[in-house]
Amino acid sequence: AVAQEIAWHDIKPLGVEGRGFEKTKVFFDRLPASAEKLVRPAVWTLSRHSAGQCVRFVSDATTLFARWTLRNARLAMPHMPATGVSGVDLYVRTDTGRWRWLACGRPTKFPTNSVRLVTGIPEGRREYLLYLPLYNGVTSVEVGVAAAAELVPAPARPASHRKPILFYGTSITHGACASRPGMTHVAILGRRFQRPVINLGFSGNG
């Protein structure tokens, strides 16, 4: 009954940041489809992880849900928790313009997880930022709100802050071993400098 009251919003029309290429095999891949024949298999496999990608949106909802479908059944690694490998991570912008952590979506199964991220949010419109998994790929990601609630794309960044910062490297850039997607240095610097970031870190293959 509760699920029927939720309106699910695909994040693609909201504007996914962190995509360096448009012509990808799957929307959330980090390299273009043409790279599959150019790079080593290990790099291509890692490029299908959604590290660094996120979506900003505005909502007046008092409860937020997330639903995402994973590409890989390995939810966690021996040295990295499922929340970082395959989870989603939610931040909210305060009245002073600072980003503050709000909730983490913990995956518990493969392929699709549906979780209530946070409830009891005070009434009012706020800007949110949702990070995607670091060491897993996704085929779809949705944000859920009550059917009567508003959920729209966030305002465009100022012209002076639209050019992304691109990071290239190995495992630490990729996201190892952050407990949450928003805790990589790539994501932290993106929030600090208020700019989109593109993560081209490939674990062990920089």
Side-chain angles (χ1 to χ4, degrees):
V2 174
Q4 293 176 354
E5 299 171 359
I6 301 173
W8 291 101
H9 299 259
D10 185 349
I11 69 169
K12 295 175 187 175
L14 297 174
V16 177
E17 294 186 341
R19 298 181 67 239
F21 306 93
E22 289 293 330
K23 296 181 180 180
T24 53
K25 196 167 184 177
V26 172
F27 182 86
F28 297 101
D29 287 355
R30 293 187 291 150
L31 288 180
S34 59
E36 185 174 7
K37 297 180 180 179
L38 302 175
V39 301
R40 290 181 295 105
V43 175
W44 175 250
T45 298
L46 294 170
S47 77
R48 313 208 75 185
H49 297 167
S50 54
Q53 296 177 55
C54 61
V55 59
R56 294 185 301 117
F57 61 92
V58 171
S59 180
D60 62 357
T62 57
T63 301
L64 290 170
F65 300 83
R67 183 167 66 189
W68 67 106
T69 299
L70 298 164
R71 294 178 55 89
N72 195 314
R74 185 185 67 174
L75 301 182
M77 295 189 287
H79 60 301
M80 188 172 174
T83 48
V85 172
S86 305
V88 296
D89 203 13
L90 183 68
Y91 283 72
V92 62
R93 191 191 292 273
T94 67
D95 293 338
T96 61
R98 298 286 299 277
W99 288 108
R100 296 297 185 193
W101 179 75
L102 189 58
C104 183
R106 183 172 67 89
T108 58
K109 59 183 178 180
F110 173 81
T112 301
N113 287 269
S114 181
V115 302
R116 184 178 67 181
L117 289 171
V118 60
T119 191
I121 305 171
E123 293 185 0
R125 297 176 85 250
R126 293 175 180 82
E127 183 178 349
Y128 296 92
L129 174 61
L130 183 72
Y131 290 99
L132 306 190
L134 295 172
Y135 270 79
N136 207 330
V138 290
T139 57
S140 68
V141 181
E142 299 166 285
V143 176
V145 295
E150 176 192 38
L151 194 151
V152 296
R157 293 183 184 271
S160 60
H161 287 69
R162 290 178 190 170
K163 193 172 184 179
I165 304 172
L166 187 146
F167 293 81
Y168 175 76
T170 56
S171 57
I172 301 302
T173 301
H174 191 146
C177 286
S179 60
R180 298 184 280 105
M183 286 305 292
T184 67
H185 70 277
V186 175
I188 291 170
L189 291 172
R191 294 194 301 275
R192 180 172 298 177
F193 294 121
Q194 302 286 358
R195 285 182 180 270
V197 296
I198 296 174
N199 186 330
L200 293 185
F202 303 107
S203 187
N205 289 277

